Amino acid sequence: PGLDRLASEQPSQESVIDLREVIAHLPDRERRIIELRYFEGWSQSEIAEHVGISQVHVSRLLRATLGTLQTALTA
């Protein structure tokens, strides 16, 4: 389950704060990719062009970063 699933549920105020804190501690590139994808609605292709990496790399980074977020929030 990714951030899309988290966004579809009614999060508590505490979980929203926790998510923001976890995102704030991500490396700059991963944080920016999450912001562009889930908070600004950019496509993976748009992000790839903006960041200067391939769309496949964006996909892999998103998958890995979402795993990191899930682990941090469920720990």
Side-chain angles (χ1 to χ4, degrees):
L3 200 55
D4 290 330
R5 182 170 161 238
L6 289 174
S8 69
E9 298 172 0
Q10 288 294 333
S12 68
Q13 184 69 17
E14 183 177 299
S15 66
V16 170
I17 292 168
D18 289 345
L19 178 59
R20 287 183 180 155
E21 288 176 12
V22 172
I23 291 172
H25 288 93
L26 291 171
D28 290 340
R29 180 174 66 173
E30 284 80 352
R31 183 177 61 249
R32 186 66 182 139
I33 288 171
I34 290 290
E35 290 170 348
L36 291 172
R37 181 73 179 117
Y38 295 103
F39 295 95
E40 297 184 27
W42 288 30
S43 71
Q44 289 184 12
S45 296
E46 291 170 324
I47 295 168
E49 186 174 325
H50 179 74
V51 176
I53 59 177
S54 72
Q55 180 275 323
V56 171
H57 198 116
V58 169
S59 178
R60 289 177 183 147
L61 287 170
L62 282 169
R63 185 174 35 251
T65 303
L66 291 175
T68 299
L69 293 174
Q70 183 178 23
T71 299
L73 291 171
T74 58

